[in-house]
Amino acid sequence: METPPELVVHDEVGACPYLSEQVARTPLRVPIRSLTPAEFERRLDEGNRRQGRLLYRTECPSCVACEPIRLLVDEFVPGRTQRRVQRRGAEVFSVEMGAPTLSRERLALYNRHKRGRNLMRDDGVLGADGYHAFLVDTCCQTFEIRYRIEGRLAGLAVVDRGERSLSAVYTYFDPALEHLSPGVFSILTQIDLCRSWGLSYLYLGLYVAECPRMVYKSAYLPHERRIDGHWTRFDREP
């Protein structure tokens, strides 16, 4: 049994959010108390992800396409394009960190991001309660990184901290700034944080080779992907 114990609050088979021809099963579990960094680290190492207070790990009946992925921070060397994005972002964005918070500014930017990048689901815009449950409520140590331009919120990343790693939960930004590659800049910012705090890994969520919006993660090298219960190293893109 996990320590602390976890309660399964949802377990159904449904449509896969990544591959249209597949079905998905991701049981949702809630720990009975907040997790210490060491407890959360163990769950990351086992392939878990977090959404609000809930933890999940894919257990799909006929598909193993989802592979948890983590970047090896000490060995990562940015490529030419990544270096250019980081230089340009450093000139444009001011970076702040703090506790996850709900505000009208955050909620409006989140929904603008979803609309502008065609990520809006059938349930429509996210309300204040949904935002709080998704990006503010947590079962571990969590913080947000705010990216501002002349005081205006231009992007935000929600990040979890484990004993040896950071885990990127969700990043959103003004779609009008896509030419600045805010998502790439945010990952590079989190890599720098890992290094400054002496952490070994940056978890990037799930890698799905056949899902176009997920394959960008393979460009961060070297990385490891959890396949058949084991972390496998990749030094080149597949």
Side-chain angles (χ1 to χ4, degrees), residues 85 93 105-119 131 135 145-149 152-158 170-187 190 216 220:
V85 169
F93 298 111
E105 182 182 39
R106 288 166 175 79
L107 185 59
L109 182 60
Y110 174 90
N111 283 309
R112 188 157 70 251
H113 172 88
K114 299 287 275 191
R115 283 193 298 266
R117 293 176 61 81
N118 297 315
L119 300 174
Y131 185 97
L135 295 176
I145 307 174
R146 299 180 287 271
Y147 306 100
R148 295 189 180 275
I149 297 179
R152 176 179 62 88
L153 185 67
L156 187 145
V158 175
Y170 196 82
T171 299
Y172 61 87
F173 52 85
D174 186 341
L177 300 175
E178 191 166 2
H179 63 286
L180 296 175
S181 301
V184 175
F185 181 73
S186 183
I187 289 176
Q190 291 170 58
Y216 73 91
Y220 296 88

Side-chain angles (χ1 to χ4, degrees), residues 17 40 60 64 80 101 151 186 218 227:
F40 184 62
C60 304
V64 292
R80 180 181 301 176
T101 306
S186 183
S218 66
I227 302 171

Side-chain angles (χ1 to χ4, degrees), residues 13-26:
V13 174
C16 176
Y18 308 123
L19 301 176
S20 59
E21 71 277 10
Q22 296 290 346
V23 295
R25 176 175 173 244
T26 53

Side-chain angles (χ1 to χ4, degrees), residues 3-237:
T3 303
E6 300 169 358
L7 305 175
V8 177
V9 296
H10 179 84
D11 186 1
E12 294 182 1
V13 174
C16 176
Y18 308 123
L19 301 176
S20 59
E21 71 277 10
Q22 296 290 346
V23 295
R25 176 175 173 244
T26 53
L28 301 177
R29 301 143 23 229
V30 58
I32 64 171
R33 62 163 171 78
S34 294
L35 302 173
T36 67
E39 290 166 344
F40 184 62
E41 186 71 42
R42 185 171 68 250
R43 286 158 172 80
L44 288 173
D45 189 63
E46 293 169 347
N48 287 283
R49 299 295 297 159
R50 181 188 68 82
Q51 177 178 312
R53 293 184 57 81
L54 304 174
L55 300 171
Y56 65 92
R57 184 174 56 238
T58 56
E59 299 181 17
C60 304
S62 60
C63 179
V64 292
C66 289
E67 300 171 354
I69 181 172
R70 65 188 185 187
L71 176 66
L72 303 173
V73 170
D74 290 340
E75 300 182 55
F76 171 75
V77 177
R80 180 181 301 176
T81 300
Q82 293 166 336
R83 292 196 301 271
R84 183 169 62 249
V85 169
Q86 193 165 33
R87 285 196 303 268
R88 185 170 52 183
E91 295 172 353
V92 173
F93 298 111
S94 62
V95 181
E96 309 168 348
M97 291 193 297
T101 306
L102 170 65
S103 69
R104 291 181 179 177
E105 182 182 39
R106 288 166 175 79
L107 185 59
L109 182 60
Y110 174 90
N111 283 309
R112 188 157 70 251
H113 172 88
K114 299 287 275 191
R115 283 193 298 266
R117 293 176 61 81
N118 297 315
L119 300 174
M120 195 69 75
R121 299 188 303 181
D122 294 339
D123 48 3
V125 299
L126 191 69
D129 290 344
Y131 185 97
H132 190 279
F134 178 32
L135 295 176
V136 178
D137 206 1
T138 184
C139 63
C140 60
Q141 291 188 12
T142 303
F143 62 96
E144 65 178 27
I145 307 174
R146 299 180 287 271
Y147 306 100
R148 295 189 180 275
I149 297 179
E150 297 180 348
R152 176 179 62 88
L153 185 67
L156 187 145
V158 175
V159 185
D160 291 336
R161 180 164 183 173
E163 188 175 46
R164 298 184 299 138
S165 64
L166 294 180
S167 176
V169 177
Y170 196 82
T171 299
Y172 61 87
F173 52 85
D174 186 341
L177 300 175
E178 191 166 2
H179 63 286
L180 296 175
S181 301
V184 175
F185 181 73
S186 183
I187 289 176
L188 297 173
T189 299
Q190 291 170 58
I191 292 171
D192 285 345
L193 278 178
C194 285
R195 286 175 169 162
S196 66
W197 293 345
L199 304 177
S200 300
Y201 303 111
L202 174 62
Y203 285 82
L204 296 179
L206 298 174
Y207 169 79
V208 184
E210 297 180 14
C211 179
R213 60 190 173 91
M214 305 289 277
V215 296
Y216 73 91
K217 301 175 185 182
S218 66
Y220 296 88
L221 295 163
H223 66 252
E224 294 178 336
R225 305 205 299 268
R226 199 169 194 270
I227 302 171
D228 295 330
H230 303 283
W231 289 99
T232 301
R233 179 184 174 110
F234 291 83
D235 290 290
R236 294 183 299 174
E237 290 190 63

